[in-house]
Amino acid sequence: MDLPATRVTAQGTQGALWRDAALCAGLLLGLSVASLMLGTVALGPERVLAALLSPASDPTAAAIVRNLRLPRLLLAVLAGAFGGVAGVLLGGLTGVSARDPGWSGVLSLGALGAVGLLVAAPASPWWAIDLAVAAGCG
């Protein structure tokens, strides 16, 4: 009788894992677009797209996006990915769960973001708490 309950729990955990992965992917995509658009010279989405696809149509926007903002964005994404890989490797070497974000030192800041939101709005949905954790870590 324990097997069906375990199966439901495993499916629920996997569903939550996919939900969190989709939330993180959406957050990464949104922040990436904002990173390409925002700066000292604000560019609209059409100018960023034109700079990426046809740089000759708007040389100023192409220079800003291709030479300044895109390399910065790619470097930030790679640094985050390498930090994740380092956490998994460190978890494998030490035997501590790789899902524990405490190895990086941002756990307390993420908790501060979540607690701040829960104090301000106690009935917050799960996605708002996830965003508050991400904002606290950032």
Side-chain angles (χ1 to χ4, degrees), residues 74-107:
L74 294 176
L75 183 63
V77 169
L78 283 175
F82 287 146
V85 169
V88 168
L89 292 175
L90 186 63
L93 289 174
T94 61
V96 178
S97 173
R99 294 184 181 186
D100 178 26
W103 67 271
S104 64
V106 298
L107 182 61

Side-chain angles (χ1 to χ4, degrees), residues 54-78:
S54 61
S57 64
D58 192 355
T60 305
I64 291 171
V65 171
R66 288 177 167 242
N67 296 334
L68 298 174
R69 295 182 184 174
L70 189 60
R72 177 185 62 195
L73 171 66
L74 294 176
L75 183 63
V77 169
L78 283 175

Side-chain angles (χ1 to χ4, degrees), residues 44-64:
E46 65 282 346
R47 288 186 71 191
V48 170
L49 192 61
L52 291 173
L53 299 178
S54 61
S57 64
D58 192 355
T60 305
I64 291 171

Side-chain angles (χ1 to χ4, degrees), residues 23 110 113-115 117-118 121-135:
L23 177 68
V115 168
L117 176 70
L118 290 174
S124 299
W126 63 266
W127 55 267
I129 297 170
D130 287 349
L131 290 176
V133 168

